[in-house]
Amino acid sequence: MIEDISAARDVALAAVAGAQTVDLLDQFVAEHLGKRGPLASLKARLGALPTVDEKKAMGQALNEATSAVSAAADAHRAVLAAVERRAQLAGERMDLTEFRRPPARGHAHLVTEAWERLEDVFIGLGFKVAEGPEIETDWYNFEALNMPPSHPARSMWDTLFVEHGAPGSTVLRTHTSPVQARVMTTQEPPIYVVAPGRVFRNETADATHMPVFHQIEGLVVDRGISFADLAGTIEAFTRAFFGSGFTSRLRPSFFPFTEPSAEFDIRRPDGSWLELGGCGMVHPNVLAACGIDPEEWGGFAFGFGIDRMAKEYHGVDDLREMYSNDVRFIEQF
Ligand code: DAH
């Protein structure tokens, strides 16, 4: 009987080892270890054995055979299950790269682009870039610029005040001109700087105004500077920024910090004019307030809106569009 047990076990082991799928394996296990299987019918013969010892020995041999088959089946099942799982995953895999589009590349804000191009143009003309704080003292924003307290010209700027220090002593800078004073009080002439930056005014937004916008200030302090140097610089930058089809003109105007003062316009190729900013010869009072001897040094200054330049450059109708962050608008540039 022991040979029958071994034979039944070996057949069962061979069947289990040969199973190609978990289903087939389970089927073979059921056939060989089940109630109607060969080992079960051998077990049925135990009762007919003559001695207790023989029954015990054969019973043990049968149990061992059964365990060996079960263990082999379990091990093989694990292998088959892993293979089947891998095949299933491979079958269900989706190739998402099919849907891949190249990521859309953005670009700097139109005003940032204009700001950087302006810096490039002025650096090319020999200027250095300076900067100052957006929260400014009354002294730099007004007083150093020849506007003592309660000077009527202060009303040219709708000023936003910051609650800091004595009432009215701290403002959100209304223009980049205070950077002129910051440069002159800390640097020796000759001075050739531009100062781009953010400025603030208590104004309602409309197509050509924003309460927060950007200016670029220019300041030259040197010996023998004339109004012609100012006009030539403005003309050079106009052409460099907009192209050679554009020219500039100066119109007499008034600013407390320059004398004489002018406003400058640029002429588009179609002959129409765009008002861009103010300029003039630095007022002797401003030089003196900043510790520079007006008898020895002279200079010119200018300031204009960067947002307006970006608007003009790209042909945008409404300044507010540039700050709406509407992708349909932004994507056009
Ligand atoms: N700061 C003036 C403004 O905001 C613009 C300006 C005019 C700047 C004349 C200047 C200048 O430097 O000389 O309206």
Side-chain angles (χ1 to χ4, degrees), residues 253-289:
S253 185
F254 170 78
F255 294 98
F257 29 91
T258 40
E259 180 58 36
S261 301
E263 266 171 271
F264 67 90
D265 309 327
I266 59 164
R267 184 180 184 276
R268 302 185 184 97
D270 69 2
S272 60
W273 293 93
L274 170 72
E275 202 180 304
L276 212 56
C279 59
M281 304 308 288
V282 180
H283 197 292
N285 290 354
V286 175
L287 294 172

PDB file of all heavy atoms in Angstrom, residues 253-289:
ATOM      1  N   SER A 253       5.887 122.533 -19.545  1.00  0.00           N
ATOM      2  CA  SER A 253       4.950 122.109 -18.513  1.00  0.00           C
ATOM      3  C   SER A 253       5.477 122.577 -17.158  1.00  0.00           C
ATOM      4  O   SER A 253       6.416 123.387 -17.112  1.00  0.00           O
ATOM      5  CB  SER A 253       4.797 120.589 -18.554  1.00  0.00           C
ATOM      6  OG  SER A 253       3.813 120.161 -17.643  1.00  0.00           O
ATOM      7  N   PHE A 254       4.889 122.061 -16.105  1.00  0.00           N
ATOM      8  CA  PHE A 254       5.380 122.438 -14.783  1.00  0.00           C
ATOM      9  C   PHE A 254       5.506 121.220 -13.872  1.00  0.00           C
ATOM     10  O   PHE A 254       4.574 120.409 -13.766  1.00  0.00           O
ATOM     11  CB  PHE A 254       4.437 123.449 -14.108  1.00  0.00           C
ATOM     12  CG  PHE A 254       4.806 123.663 -12.666  1.00  0.00           C
ATOM     13  CD1 PHE A 254       5.879 124.483 -12.331  1.00  0.00           C
ATOM     14  CD2 PHE A 254       4.142 122.975 -11.638  1.00  0.00           C
ATOM     15  CE1 PHE A 254       6.259 124.642 -10.998  1.00  0.00           C
ATOM     16  CE2 PHE A 254       4.529 123.140 -10.308  1.00  0.00           C
ATOM     17  CZ  PHE A 254       5.580 123.972  -9.995  1.00  0.00           C
ATOM     18  N   PHE A 255       6.654 121.102 -13.243  1.00  0.00           N
ATOM     19  CA  PHE A 255       6.837 120.197 -12.109  1.00  0.00           C
ATOM     20  C   PHE A 255       7.683 120.945 -11.092  1.00  0.00           C
ATOM     21  O   PHE A 255       8.615 121.670 -11.479  1.00  0.00           O
ATOM     22  CB  PHE A 255       7.553 118.900 -12.529  1.00  0.00           C
ATOM     23  CG  PHE A 255       6.732 118.055 -13.467  1.00  0.00           C
ATOM     24  CD1 PHE A 255       6.949 118.109 -14.842  1.00  0.00           C
ATOM     25  CD2 PHE A 255       5.742 117.222 -12.984  1.00  0.00           C
ATOM     26  CE1 PHE A 255       6.187 117.347 -15.715  1.00  0.00           C
ATOM     27  CE2 PHE A 255       4.971 116.453 -13.854  1.00  0.00           C
ATOM     28  CZ  PHE A 255       5.198 116.517 -15.225  1.00  0.00           C
ATOM     29  N   PRO A 256       7.391 120.813  -9.817  1.00  0.00           N
ATOM     30  CA  PRO A 256       8.124 121.576  -8.797  1.00  0.00           C
ATOM     31  C   PRO A 256       9.605 121.221  -8.761  1.00  0.00           C
ATOM     32  O   PRO A 256      10.425 122.038  -8.349  1.00  0.00           O
ATOM     33  CB  PRO A 256       7.456 121.160  -7.488  1.00  0.00           C
ATOM     34  CG  PRO A 256       6.160 120.536  -7.864  1.00  0.00           C
ATOM     35  CD  PRO A 256       6.336 119.974  -9.233  1.00  0.00           C
ATOM     36  N   PHE A 257       9.934 119.985  -9.176  1.00  0.00           N
ATOM     37  CA  PHE A 257      11.322 119.521  -9.003  1.00  0.00           C
ATOM     38  C   PHE A 257      12.197 119.750 -10.224  1.00  0.00           C
ATOM     39  O   PHE A 257      13.359 119.354 -10.231  1.00  0.00           O
ATOM     40  CB  PHE A 257      11.361 118.044  -8.579  1.00  0.00           C
ATOM     41  CG  PHE A 257      10.201 117.219  -9.076  1.00  0.00           C
ATOM     42  CD1 PHE A 257      10.266 116.549 -10.287  1.00  0.00           C
ATOM     43  CD2 PHE A 257       9.034 117.135  -8.327  1.00  0.00           C
ATOM     44  CE1 PHE A 257       9.190 115.791 -10.736  1.00  0.00           C
ATOM     45  CE2 PHE A 257       7.944 116.383  -8.774  1.00  0.00           C
ATOM     46  CZ  PHE A 257       8.021 115.709  -9.978  1.00  0.00           C
ATOM     47  N   THR A 258      11.644 120.331 -11.278  1.00  0.00           N
ATOM     48  CA  THR A 258      12.462 120.634 -12.463  1.00  0.00           C
ATOM     49  C   THR A 258      12.203 122.062 -12.926  1.00  0.00           C
ATOM     50  O   THR A 258      11.099 122.591 -12.766  1.00  0.00           O
ATOM     51  CB  THR A 258      12.140 119.652 -13.616  1.00  0.00           C
ATOM     52  OG1 THR A 258      10.732 119.433 -13.646  1.00  0.00           O
ATOM     53  CG2 THR A 258      12.857 118.347 -13.460  1.00  0.00           C
ATOM     54  N   GLU A 259      13.228 122.659 -13.483  1.00  0.00           N
ATOM     55  CA  GLU A 259      13.079 124.013 -14.028  1.00  0.00           C
ATOM     56  C   GLU A 259      14.132 124.230 -15.111  1.00  0.00           C
ATOM     57  O   GLU A 259      15.316 124.199 -14.792  1.00  0.00           O
ATOM     58  CB  GLU A 259      13.236 125.048 -12.909  1.00  0.00           C
ATOM     59  CG  GLU A 259      13.100 126.479 -13.373  1.00  0.00           C
ATOM     60  CD  GLU A 259      11.758 126.775 -14.050  1.00  0.00           C
ATOM     61  OE1 GLU A 259      10.737 126.201 -13.617  1.00  0.00           O
ATOM     62  OE2 GLU A 259      11.757 127.531 -15.022  1.00  0.00           O
ATOM     63  N   PRO A 260      13.778 124.380 -16.364  1.00  0.00           N
ATOM     64  CA  PRO A 260      12.406 124.282 -16.861  1.00  0.00           C
ATOM     65  C   PRO A 260      11.884 122.844 -16.876  1.00  0.00           C
ATOM     66  O   PRO A 260      12.673 121.899 -16.792  1.00  0.00           O
ATOM     67  CB  PRO A 260      12.540 124.813 -18.298  1.00  0.00           C
ATOM     68  CG  PRO A 260      13.943 124.513 -18.689  1.00  0.00           C
ATOM     69  CD  PRO A 260      14.757 124.654 -17.433  1.00  0.00           C
ATOM     70  N   SER A 261      10.558 122.735 -16.992  1.00  0.00           N
ATOM     71  CA  SER A 261       9.918 121.416 -17.021  1.00  0.00           C
ATOM     72  C   SER A 261       9.241 121.199 -18.367  1.00  0.00           C
ATOM     73  O   SER A 261       8.877 122.164 -19.050  1.00  0.00           O
ATOM     74  CB  SER A 261       8.847 121.311 -15.930  1.00  0.00           C
ATOM     75  OG  SER A 261       9.393 121.508 -14.653  1.00  0.00           O
ATOM     76  N   ALA A 262       9.068 119.963 -18.688  1.00  0.00           N
ATOM     77  CA  ALA A 262       8.386 119.643 -19.951  1.00  0.00           C
ATOM     78  C   ALA A 262       7.614 118.340 -19.794  1.00  0.00           C
ATOM     79  O   ALA A 262       7.883 117.543 -18.892  1.00  0.00           O
ATOM     80  CB  ALA A 262       9.400 119.507 -21.085  1.00  0.00           C
ATOM     81  N   GLU A 263       6.637 118.185 -20.662  1.00  0.00           N
ATOM     82  CA  GLU A 263       6.025 116.873 -20.788  1.00  0.00           C
ATOM     83  C   GLU A 263       6.497 116.320 -22.110  1.00  0.00           C
ATOM     84  O   GLU A 263       6.788 117.091 -23.034  1.00  0.00           O
ATOM     85  CB  GLU A 263       4.509 116.977 -20.747  1.00  0.00           C
ATOM     86  CG  GLU A 263       4.008 116.760 -19.322  1.00  0.00           C
ATOM     87  CD  GLU A 263       2.539 117.055 -19.176  1.00  0.00           C
ATOM     88  OE1 GLU A 263       2.206 118.208 -18.906  1.00  0.00           O
ATOM     89  OE2 GLU A 263       1.755 116.107 -19.337  1.00  0.00           O
ATOM     90  N   PHE A 264       6.641 115.015 -22.205  1.00  0.00           N
ATOM     91  CA  PHE A 264       7.058 114.505 -23.513  1.00  0.00           C
ATOM     92  C   PHE A 264       6.050 113.520 -24.075  1.00  0.00           C
ATOM     93  O   PHE A 264       5.397 112.775 -23.344  1.00  0.00           O
ATOM     94  CB  PHE A 264       8.482 113.955 -23.499  1.00  0.00           C
ATOM     95  CG  PHE A 264       8.689 112.713 -22.688  1.00  0.00           C
ATOM     96  CD1 PHE A 264       8.536 111.462 -23.287  1.00  0.00           C
ATOM     97  CD2 PHE A 264       9.066 112.776 -21.363  1.00  0.00           C
ATOM     98  CE1 PHE A 264       8.761 110.315 -22.551  1.00  0.00           C
ATOM     99  CE2 PHE A 264       9.273 111.627 -20.628  1.00  0.00           C
ATOM    100  CZ  PHE A 264       9.117 110.393 -21.215  1.00  0.00           C
ATOM    101  N   ASP A 265       5.916 113.617 -25.367  1.00  0.00           N
ATOM    102  CA  ASP A 265       4.976 112.776 -26.101  1.00  0.00           C
ATOM    103  C   ASP A 265       5.784 111.981 -27.115  1.00  0.00           C
ATOM    104  O   ASP A 265       6.848 112.417 -27.549  1.00  0.00           O
ATOM    105  CB  ASP A 265       3.982 113.636 -26.898  1.00  0.00           C
ATOM    106  CG  ASP A 265       3.310 114.699 -26.047  1.00  0.00           C
ATOM    107  OD1 ASP A 265       3.083 114.432 -24.848  1.00  0.00           O
ATOM    108  OD2 ASP A 265       3.051 115.791 -26.580  1.00  0.00           O
ATOM    109  N   ILE A 266       5.251 110.846 -27.507  1.00  0.00           N
ATOM    110  CA  ILE A 266       5.894 110.137 -28.609  1.00  0.00           C
ATOM    111  C   ILE A 266       4.938 110.124 -29.802  1.00  0.00           C
ATOM    112  O   ILE A 266       3.723 110.070 -29.645  1.00  0.00           O
ATOM    113  CB  ILE A 266       6.326 108.708 -28.245  1.00  0.00           C
ATOM    114  CG1 ILE A 266       5.128 107.888 -27.802  1.00  0.00           C
ATOM    115  CG2 ILE A 266       7.407 108.714 -27.177  1.00  0.00           C
ATOM    116  CD1 ILE A 266       5.427 106.416 -27.821  1.00  0.00           C
ATOM    117  N   ARG A 267       5.539 110.213 -30.956  1.00  0.00           N
ATOM    118  CA  ARG A 267       4.769 110.267 -32.182  1.00  0.00           C
ATOM    119  C   ARG A 267       4.785 108.891 -32.827  1.00  0.00           C
ATOM    120  O   ARG A 267       5.840 108.324 -33.109  1.00  0.00           O
ATOM    121  CB  ARG A 267       5.400 111.294 -33.132  1.00  0.00           C
ATOM    122  CG  ARG A 267       4.622 111.513 -34.408  1.00  0.00           C
ATOM    123  CD  ARG A 267       5.362 112.563 -35.246  1.00  0.00           C
ATOM    124  NE  ARG A 267       4.624 112.907 -36.457  1.00  0.00           N
ATOM    125  CZ  ARG A 267       4.683 112.202 -37.586  1.00  0.00           C
ATOM    126  NH1 ARG A 267       5.452 111.149 -37.653  1.00  0.00           N
ATOM    127  NH2 ARG A 267       3.980 112.570 -38.636  1.00  0.00           N
ATOM    128  N   ARG A 268       3.582 108.352 -33.021  1.00  0.00           N
ATOM    129  CA  ARG A 268       3.458 107.037 -33.668  1.00  0.00           C
ATOM    130  C   ARG A 268       3.692 107.190 -35.171  1.00  0.00           C
ATOM    131  O   ARG A 268       3.558 108.292 -35.712  1.00  0.00           O
ATOM    132  CB  ARG A 268       2.063 106.474 -33.424  1.00  0.00           C
ATOM    133  CG  ARG A 268       1.692 106.320 -31.947  1.00  0.00           C
ATOM    134  CD  ARG A 268       0.333 105.632 -31.836  1.00  0.00           C
ATOM    135  NE  ARG A 268      -0.130 105.523 -30.455  1.00  0.00           N
ATOM    136  CZ  ARG A 268      -0.968 106.379 -29.894  1.00  0.00           C
ATOM    137  NH1 ARG A 268      -1.414 107.430 -30.552  1.00  0.00           N
ATOM    138  NH2 ARG A 268      -1.348 106.194 -28.641  1.00  0.00           N
ATOM    139  N   PRO A 269       3.994 106.074 -35.850  1.00  0.00           N
ATOM    140  CA  PRO A 269       4.220 106.153 -37.301  1.00  0.00           C
ATOM    141  C   PRO A 269       3.016 106.748 -38.040  1.00  0.00           C
ATOM    142  O   PRO A 269       3.172 107.368 -39.094  1.00  0.00           O
ATOM    143  CB  PRO A 269       4.440 104.694 -37.713  1.00  0.00           C
ATOM    144  CG  PRO A 269       4.935 104.031 -36.471  1.00  0.00           C
ATOM    145  CD  PRO A 269       4.265 104.718 -35.327  1.00  0.00           C
ATOM    146  N   ASP A 270       1.791 106.598 -37.507  1.00  0.00           N
ATOM    147  CA  ASP A 270       0.614 107.162 -38.195  1.00  0.00           C
ATOM    148  C   ASP A 270       0.446 108.651 -37.905  1.00  0.00           C
ATOM    149  O   ASP A 270      -0.539 109.272 -38.336  1.00  0.00           O
ATOM    150  CB  ASP A 270      -0.659 106.394 -37.811  1.00  0.00           C
ATOM    151  CG  ASP A 270      -1.072 106.629 -36.357  1.00  0.00           C
ATOM    152  OD1 ASP A 270      -0.390 107.414 -35.651  1.00  0.00           O
ATOM    153  OD2 ASP A 270      -2.078 106.032 -35.928  1.00  0.00           O
ATOM    154  N   GLY A 271       1.383 109.246 -37.162  1.00  0.00           N
ATOM    155  CA  GLY A 271       1.330 110.689 -36.926  1.00  0.00           C
ATOM    156  C   GLY A 271       0.608 111.087 -35.648  1.00  0.00           C
ATOM    157  O   GLY A 271       0.637 112.255 -35.264  1.00  0.00           O
ATOM    158  N   SER A 272      -0.070 110.138 -34.978  1.00  0.00           N
ATOM    159  CA  SER A 272      -0.765 110.492 -33.739  1.00  0.00           C
ATOM    160  C   SER A 272       0.231 110.532 -32.571  1.00  0.00           C
ATOM    161  O   SER A 272       1.327 109.969 -32.652  1.00  0.00           O
ATOM    162  CB  SER A 272      -1.867 109.468 -33.448  1.00  0.00           C
ATOM    163  OG  SER A 272      -1.306 108.182 -33.301  1.00  0.00           O
ATOM    164  N   TRP A 273      -0.168 111.219 -31.488  1.00  0.00           N
ATOM    165  CA  TRP A 273       0.732 111.433 -30.361  1.00  0.00           C
ATOM    166  C   TRP A 273       0.251 110.727 -29.102  1.00  0.00           C
ATOM    167  O   TRP A 273      -0.940 110.646 -28.851  1.00  0.00           O
ATOM    168  CB  TRP A 273       0.855 112.930 -30.055  1.00  0.00           C
ATOM    169  CG  TRP A 273       1.542 113.684 -31.154  1.00  0.00           C
ATOM    170  CD1 TRP A 273       0.932 114.313 -32.200  1.00  0.00           C
ATOM    171  CD2 TRP A 273       2.950 113.864 -31.316  1.00  0.00           C
ATOM    172  NE1 TRP A 273       1.883 114.879 -33.021  1.00  0.00           N
ATOM    173  CE2 TRP A 273       3.127 114.629 -32.491  1.00  0.00           C
ATOM    174  CE3 TRP A 273       4.076 113.465 -30.591  1.00  0.00           C
ATOM    175  CZ2 TRP A 273       4.380 114.991 -32.956  1.00  0.00           C
ATOM    176  CZ3 TRP A 273       5.314 113.839 -31.044  1.00  0.00           C
ATOM    177  CH2 TRP A 273       5.470 114.588 -32.225  1.00  0.00           C
ATOM    178  N   LEU A 274       1.185 110.248 -28.325  1.00  0.00           N
ATOM    179  CA  LEU A 274       0.859 109.622 -27.041  1.00  0.00           C
ATOM    180  C   LEU A 274       1.630 110.349 -25.946  1.00  0.00           C
ATOM    181  O   LEU A 274       2.850 110.501 -26.022  1.00  0.00           O
ATOM    182  CB  LEU A 274       1.278 108.145 -27.049  1.00  0.00           C
ATOM    183  CG  LEU A 274       1.226 107.431 -25.685  1.00  0.00           C
ATOM    184  CD1 LEU A 274      -0.209 107.188 -25.269  1.00  0.00           C
ATOM    185  CD2 LEU A 274       2.008 106.132 -25.736  1.00  0.00           C
ATOM    186  N   GLU A 275       0.868 110.813 -24.944  1.00  0.00           N
ATOM    187  CA  GLU A 275       1.489 111.511 -23.828  1.00  0.00           C
ATOM    188  C   GLU A 275       2.105 110.482 -22.897  1.00  0.00           C
ATOM    189  O   GLU A 275       1.433 109.553 -22.459  1.00  0.00           O
ATOM    190  CB  GLU A 275       0.385 112.267 -23.095  1.00  0.00           C
ATOM    191  CG  GLU A 275       0.864 113.412 -22.273  1.00  0.00           C
ATOM    192  CD  GLU A 275      -0.326 114.079 -21.588  1.00  0.00           C
ATOM    193  OE1 GLU A 275      -1.272 114.479 -22.310  1.00  0.00           O
ATOM    194  OE2 GLU A 275      -0.312 114.162 -20.362  1.00  0.00           O
ATOM    195  N   LEU A 276       3.401 110.640 -22.624  1.00  0.00           N
ATOM    196  CA  LEU A 276       4.065 109.567 -21.883  1.00  0.00           C
ATOM    197  C   LEU A 276       4.568 109.966 -20.502  1.00  0.00           C
ATOM    198  O   LEU A 276       4.486 109.182 -19.565  1.00  0.00           O
ATOM    199  CB  LEU A 276       5.227 109.024 -22.718  1.00  0.00           C
ATOM    200  CG  LEU A 276       5.506 107.548 -22.531  1.00  0.00           C
ATOM    201  CD1 LEU A 276       4.282 106.702 -22.823  1.00  0.00           C
ATOM    202  CD2 LEU A 276       6.644 107.135 -23.452  1.00  0.00           C
ATOM    203  N   GLY A 277       5.126 111.139 -20.342  1.00  0.00           N
ATOM    204  CA  GLY A 277       5.673 111.454 -19.018  1.00  0.00           C
ATOM    205  C   GLY A 277       6.159 112.872 -18.907  1.00  0.00           C
ATOM    206  O   GLY A 277       5.898 113.714 -19.771  1.00  0.00           O
ATOM    207  N   GLY A 278       6.837 113.115 -17.785  1.00  0.00           N
ATOM    208  CA  GLY A 278       7.352 114.456 -17.516  1.00  0.00           C
ATOM    209  C   GLY A 278       8.869 114.423 -17.428  1.00  0.00           C
ATOM    210  O   GLY A 278       9.479 113.364 -17.240  1.00  0.00           O
ATOM    211  N   CYS A 279       9.458 115.635 -17.571  1.00  0.00           N
ATOM    212  CA  CYS A 279      10.909 115.701 -17.507  1.00  0.00           C
ATOM    213  C   CYS A 279      11.336 117.154 -17.294  1.00  0.00           C
ATOM    214  O   CYS A 279      10.494 118.056 -17.257  1.00  0.00           O
ATOM    215  CB  CYS A 279      11.538 115.152 -18.785  1.00  0.00           C
ATOM    216  SG  CYS A 279      11.027 116.033 -20.274  1.00  0.00           S
ATOM    217  N   GLY A 280      12.611 117.361 -17.160  1.00  0.00           N
ATOM    218  CA  GLY A 280      13.096 118.735 -17.025  1.00  0.00           C
ATOM    219  C   GLY A 280      14.506 118.758 -16.463  1.00  0.00           C
ATOM    220  O   GLY A 280      15.116 117.711 -16.234  1.00  0.00           O
ATOM    221  N   MET A 281      14.987 119.988 -16.251  1.00  0.00           N
ATOM    222  CA  MET A 281      16.312 120.148 -15.651  1.00  0.00           C
ATOM    223  C   MET A 281      16.136 120.168 -14.135  1.00  0.00           C
ATOM    224  O   MET A 281      15.265 120.875 -13.617  1.00  0.00           O
ATOM    225  CB  MET A 281      16.951 121.462 -16.117  1.00  0.00           C
ATOM    226  CG  MET A 281      17.049 121.605 -17.643  1.00  0.00           C
ATOM    227  SD  MET A 281      17.828 120.190 -18.450  1.00  0.00           S
ATOM    228  CE  MET A 281      19.542 120.434 -17.947  1.00  0.00           C
ATOM    229  N   VAL A 282      16.922 119.371 -13.449  1.00  0.00           N
ATOM    230  CA  VAL A 282      16.746 119.225 -11.995  1.00  0.00           C
ATOM    231  C   VAL A 282      16.815 120.606 -11.330  1.00  0.00           C
ATOM    232  O   VAL A 282      17.752 121.387 -11.563  1.00  0.00           O
ATOM    233  CB  VAL A 282      17.817 118.285 -11.405  1.00  0.00           C
ATOM    234  CG1 VAL A 282      17.610 118.139  -9.892  1.00  0.00           C
ATOM    235  CG2 VAL A 282      17.764 116.918 -12.077  1.00  0.00           C
ATOM    236  N   HIS A 283      15.812 120.924 -10.524  1.00  0.00           N
ATOM    237  CA  HIS A 283      15.719 122.229  -9.860  1.00  0.00           C
ATOM    238  C   HIS A 283      16.884 122.387  -8.870  1.00  0.00           C
ATOM    239  O   HIS A 283      17.188 121.444  -8.125  1.00  0.00           O
ATOM    240  CB  HIS A 283      14.385 122.321  -9.124  1.00  0.00           C
ATOM    241  CG  HIS A 283      14.008 123.724  -8.770  1.00  0.00           C
ATOM    242  ND1 HIS A 283      14.687 124.460  -7.838  1.00  0.00           N
ATOM    243  CD2 HIS A 283      13.023 124.531  -9.255  1.00  0.00           C
ATOM    244  CE1 HIS A 283      14.130 125.664  -7.743  1.00  0.00           C
ATOM    245  NE2 HIS A 283      13.122 125.727  -8.604  1.00  0.00           N
ATOM    246  N   PRO A 284      17.508 123.577  -8.854  1.00  0.00           N
ATOM    247  CA  PRO A 284      18.621 123.781  -7.917  1.00  0.00           C
ATOM    248  C   PRO A 284      18.238 123.487  -6.459  1.00  0.00           C
ATOM    249  O   PRO A 284      19.067 122.994  -5.695  1.00  0.00           O
ATOM    250  CB  PRO A 284      18.967 125.274  -8.085  1.00  0.00           C
ATOM    251  CG  PRO A 284      18.410 125.658  -9.413  1.00  0.00           C
ATOM    252  CD  PRO A 284      17.271 124.745  -9.708  1.00  0.00           C
ATOM    253  N   ASN A 285      16.997 123.777  -6.092  1.00  0.00           N
ATOM    254  CA  ASN A 285      16.558 123.479  -4.717  1.00  0.00           C
ATOM    255  C   ASN A 285      16.623 121.989  -4.407  1.00  0.00           C
ATOM    256  O   ASN A 285      16.862 121.586  -3.268  1.00  0.00           O
ATOM    257  CB  ASN A 285      15.118 123.958  -4.490  1.00  0.00           C
ATOM    258  CG  ASN A 285      15.010 125.468  -4.462  1.00  0.00           C
ATOM    259  OD1 ASN A 285      16.041 126.156  -4.507  1.00  0.00           O
ATOM    260  ND2 ASN A 285      13.786 125.982  -4.404  1.00  0.00           N
ATOM    261  N   VAL A 286      16.345 121.165  -5.415  1.00  0.00           N
ATOM    262  CA  VAL A 286      16.381 119.712  -5.217  1.00  0.00           C
ATOM    263  C   VAL A 286      17.828 119.254  -5.027  1.00  0.00           C
ATOM    264  O   VAL A 286      18.140 118.489  -4.109  1.00  0.00           O
ATOM    265  CB  VAL A 286      15.719 118.977  -6.412  1.00  0.00           C
ATOM    266  CG1 VAL A 286      15.873 117.469  -6.272  1.00  0.00           C
ATOM    267  CG2 VAL A 286      14.249 119.366  -6.530  1.00  0.00           C
ATOM    268  N   LEU A 287      18.713 119.757  -5.876  1.00  0.00           N
ATOM    269  CA  LEU A 287      20.138 119.413  -5.729  1.00  0.00           C
ATOM    270  C   LEU A 287      20.615 119.819  -4.331  1.00  0.00           C
ATOM    271  O   LEU A 287      21.232 119.013  -3.618  1.00  0.00           O
ATOM    272  CB  LEU A 287      20.979 120.124  -6.805  1.00  0.00           C
ATOM    273  CG  LEU A 287      20.732 119.690  -8.252  1.00  0.00           C
ATOM    274  CD1 LEU A 287      21.476 120.613  -9.223  1.00  0.00           C
ATOM    275  CD2 LEU A 287      21.192 118.242  -8.467  1.00  0.00           C
ATOM    276  N   ALA A 288      20.272 121.054  -3.923  1.00  0.00           N
ATOM    277  CA  ALA A 288      20.738 121.560  -2.628  1.00  0.00           C
ATOM    278  C   ALA A 288      20.165 120.737  -1.476  1.00  0.00           C
ATOM    279  O   ALA A 288      20.884 120.393  -0.534  1.00  0.00           O
ATOM    280  CB  ALA A 288      20.365 123.030  -2.481  1.00  0.00           C
ATOM    281  N   ALA A 289      18.866 120.422  -1.566  1.00  0.00           N
ATOM    282  CA  ALA A 289      18.235 119.636  -0.489  1.00  0.00           C
ATOM    283  C   ALA A 289      18.919 118.282  -0.333  1.00  0.00           C
ATOM    284  O   ALA A 289      18.936 117.708   0.755  1.00  0.00           O
ATOM    285  CB  ALA A 289      16.750 119.442  -0.779  1.00  0.00           C
TER     286      ALA A 289
END
